[in-house]
Amino acid sequence: MTDRRNFLKSSSLLLGGLWLSPGIAVARTKISPSDQLRVALIGCRNMGFGILRHHLALPEVRCVALCDVDQNVLDEKLKEVETATGTRPEGFNDFRKVLERKDIDAVIIGTPDHWHCLIAVAACQAGKDVYVEKPMANSIGECDLIASAAKRYDRVVQVGQQQRSGQAFIESKDLVKSGHLGKIRKVNIWSNFNYGLGNEKQSNAAIPAGVDYDFWLGPAPLRDFNPNRFHGSWRHFWDYGGGLMSDWGVHLLDMAVWAEENPSAPSRVLTYARNVNTENRDRDTFDTMNVLFPKKDFLINYDMNGGLQTGPYGKPYGIAYVGDKGTLVVNRSGYEVYPEWSDSPKSPKCEAKKLEGTKESHNLHVANFVDCIKTRNQTVCPPEAGRIAALHAHIPNIAARVGAEELIWDDSKREFVGNKAANALVWPDYRKPWTLPKV
């Protein structure tokens, strides 16, 4: 735990736009070429670039290539990396050209979700290790392909579910598994965020200068350009993402699954989904969902509300592990244990505990990835964990899309039981000339 806290402290330099401290810059000069790790970023806006920053906070990491289909974004980020590190990476618009470079050890995939599978599988086939943002892919079938590719080509893959590297969540899982809360009855999860409503409707527009929009769409259906389906808000449309459910849901549901004795895909899923707010909103996905996952160890109850920003325990999002002896409530800021009480004599059934002031753990998640590249050990969030978490988000979305209140998933056969409409959504239909990768 001391190493974790020290790394968190050392990486605080990434806040506020400051990239590299003098100490890290000096440390870089002492790393021999044979010990350097050369990375490329594919998809350079927002989260992808943030993950690259955390890589570059490690002195052994070099960024040798950036790739984006928006030349405006690419030019901006090339300049930022050059200013921060003193070296300008090579710029690309086509990820396939990046993967042709033999000197690249690992790639970071920060694209919209509908691109994750194609790029991740191709990267594994090219001998690159992979950090892929969550959800691991935009469909159940594509998640399987990534997991299969990682195994066949013996690649280190880290899925960007960074809570697994966070102190608050690690300690919470340990408390749950130690029996501190007694037998866990259920895990209540909630995520209430205003952006879950999607943007207000806008008219179609001209494709921005410098954007290869056809390549941005890639395997997704051909559509006229609309700002709402592009940078920043693409996730509200099934072609590219799964809305608030797959954005925040996959993070929080992963933490419930992580506490299972033997983490598994959901078998029975009960879903309520509606778009309650219909005031000029542009989206395919749902703003309101309640989902029940009856699991072997406990019940998982997920409650999602786009357009709201308050929730239980005064938190917009969180997880409550409800046990016979107490309830543990956790989010990225920390956790608190609320003991149950015995009546005679009146006394707490477990010890109250509290942790405050924890922060985001992207830096620790990246550090784990880099360490595993060196050791060839399994990452803290390997492909199978990413697959299972993604299924907990994709299955409710599929249920909502086909109007099924209940779906039964047979994970051994990779299909839904008795629902053709749901099975039709297990795999995406790729737009030509793109085809599903073969592993």
Side-chain angles (χ1 to χ4, degrees):
M1 197 63 67
T2 300
D3 290 342
R4 185 178 305 279
R5 289 169 177 160
N6 287 343
F7 190 86
L8 184 62
K9 181 179 179 181
S10 69
S11 294
S12 64
L13 59 96
L14 297 177
L15 302 176
L18 178 62
W19 276 51
L20 301 177
S21 70
I24 289 181
V26 170
R28 281 182 179 280
T29 65
K30 299 180 180 180
I31 304 294
S32 67
S34 61
D35 292 328
Q36 293 175 8
L37 178 68
R38 293 166 293 275
V39 303
L41 170 62
I42 301 172
C44 296
R45 286 187 82 250
N46 294 340
M47 186 58 71
F49 198 67
I51 295 301
L52 175 64
R53 288 186 175 198
H54 290 298
H55 278 78
L56 291 175
L58 302 170
E60 66 267 45
V61 177
R62 304 287 188 275
C63 177
V64 299
L66 297 180
C67 179
D68 203 284
V69 297
D70 186 336
Q71 191 66 42
N72 308 291
V73 172
L74 182 60
D75 290 342
E76 174 189 335
K77 300 308 181 184
L78 286 168
K79 184 178 179 179
E80 282 194 45
V81 174
E82 183 179 18
T83 300
T85 67
T87 302
R88 186 179 180 85
E90 187 174 4
F92 296 89
N93 299 120
D94 188 331
F95 74 92
R96 293 167 296 190
K97 297 295 184 183
V98 175
L99 299 181
E100 288 175 1
R101 282 190 53 162
K102 303 299 183 184
D103 63 333
I104 291 175
D105 301 303
V107 298
I108 304 161
I109 302 174
T111 64
D113 301 349
H114 71 290
W115 268 111
H116 288 186
C117 178
L118 271 172
I119 300 173
V121 171
C124 290
Q125 291 170 334
K128 319 299 184 190
D129 296 321
V130 176
Y131 187 110
V132 58
E133 260 306 313
K134 57 78 207 166
M136 189 164 75
N138 199 37
S139 70
I140 292 173
E142 290 173 307
C143 289
D144 264 329
L145 284 176
I146 295 175
S148 296
K151 183 177 181 179
R152 177 174 179 181
Y153 300 106
D154 194 22
R155 294 294 92 202
V156 170
V157 175
Q158 179 83 293
V159 183
Q161 292 160 204
Q162 75 276 1
Q163 273 75 218
R164 286 177 172 245
S165 295
Q167 180 186 353
F169 293 97
I170 291 171
E171 292 188 17
S172 294
K173 182 199 70 169
D174 290 345
L175 284 168
V176 168
K177 290 201 165 187
S178 72
H180 185 82
L181 304 175
K183 179 175 175 52
I184 300 298
R185 298 184 176 191
K186 57 185 175 181
V187 181
N188 292 326
I189 305 173
W190 63 99
S191 59
N192 300 336
F193 294 97
N194 197 49
Y195 81 92
L197 291 178
N199 289 351
E200 293 186 357
K201 292 179 180 178
Q202 299 185 62
S203 299
N204 293 338
I207 299 170
V211 173
D212 188 339
Y213 180 57
D214 185 70
F215 208 142
W216 187 92
L217 287 171
L222 181 64
R223 297 184 185 275
D224 291 335
F225 181 84
N226 189 290
N228 282 344
R229 302 176 73 95
F230 195 47
H231 288 333
S233 51
W234 50 262
R235 70 178 69 258
H236 297 295
F237 300 91
W238 301 125
D239 290 347
Y240 329 114
L244 187 54
M245 184 69 191
S246 67
D247 191 32
W248 265 94
V250 74
H251 274 311
L252 301 175
L253 287 161
D254 182 40
M255 293 298 91
V257 173
W258 204 26
E260 289 187 86
E261 189 65 31
N262 295 295
S264 62
S267 56
R268 181 173 175 232
V269 180
L270 295 90
T271 303
Y272 167 90
R274 295 290 185 276
N275 270 320
V276 176
N277 188 315
T278 57
E279 298 175 0
N280 196 37
R281 296 293 173 172
D282 194 7
R283 61 171 181 261
D284 294 336
T285 56
F286 298 93
D287 63 29
T288 304
M289 295 182 75
N290 273 77
V291 187
L292 295 178
F293 303 89
K295 306 297 291 284
K296 181 180 179 181
D297 295 343
F298 42 68
L299 173 71
I300 300 173
N301 174 35
Y302 181 73
D303 182 10
M304 183 196 89
N305 298 283
L308 303 184
Q309 300 188 85
T310 59
Y313 300 91
K315 303 177 189 299
Y317 74 95
I319 305 171
Y321 300 93
V322 182
D324 287 336
K325 296 181 179 180
T327 296
L328 187 155
V329 178
V330 59
N331 68 12
R332 294 174 181 176
S333 299
Y335 66 79
E336 185 167 1
V337 173
Y338 299 86
E340 291 294 323
W341 287 82
S342 299
D343 290 331
S344 181
K346 189 172 184 179
S347 60
K349 292 185 177 181
C350 70
E351 180 185 353
K353 292 180 177 289
K354 191 172 186 178
L355 176 68
E356 296 179 303
T358 55
K359 301 182 184 300
E360 265 289 5
S361 49
H362 284 107
N363 52 351
L364 304 173
H365 210 53
V366 166
N368 173 256
F369 175 55
V370 171
D371 182 65
C372 289
I373 290 174
K374 298 174 187 176
T375 63
R376 310 314 292 175
N377 290 332
Q378 181 173 274
T379 59
V380 72
C381 192
E384 181 60 14
R387 184 188 78 87
I388 289 173
L391 262 64
H392 281 77
H394 288 322
I395 290 176
N397 272 341
I398 290 172
R401 293 173 70 180
V402 303
E405 293 183 357
E406 180 181 28
L407 283 177
I408 305 298
W409 172 253
D410 186 331
D411 201 47
S412 63
K413 295 181 178 179
R414 299 299 204 264
E415 66 181 25
F416 293 102
V417 177
N419 194 310
K420 292 183 179 179
N423 280 321
L425 296 176
V426 170
W427 292 94
D429 292 321
Y430 276 16
R431 180 173 66 102
K432 294 180 180 179
W434 300 101
T435 59
L436 276 166
K438 292 181 172 61
V439 178

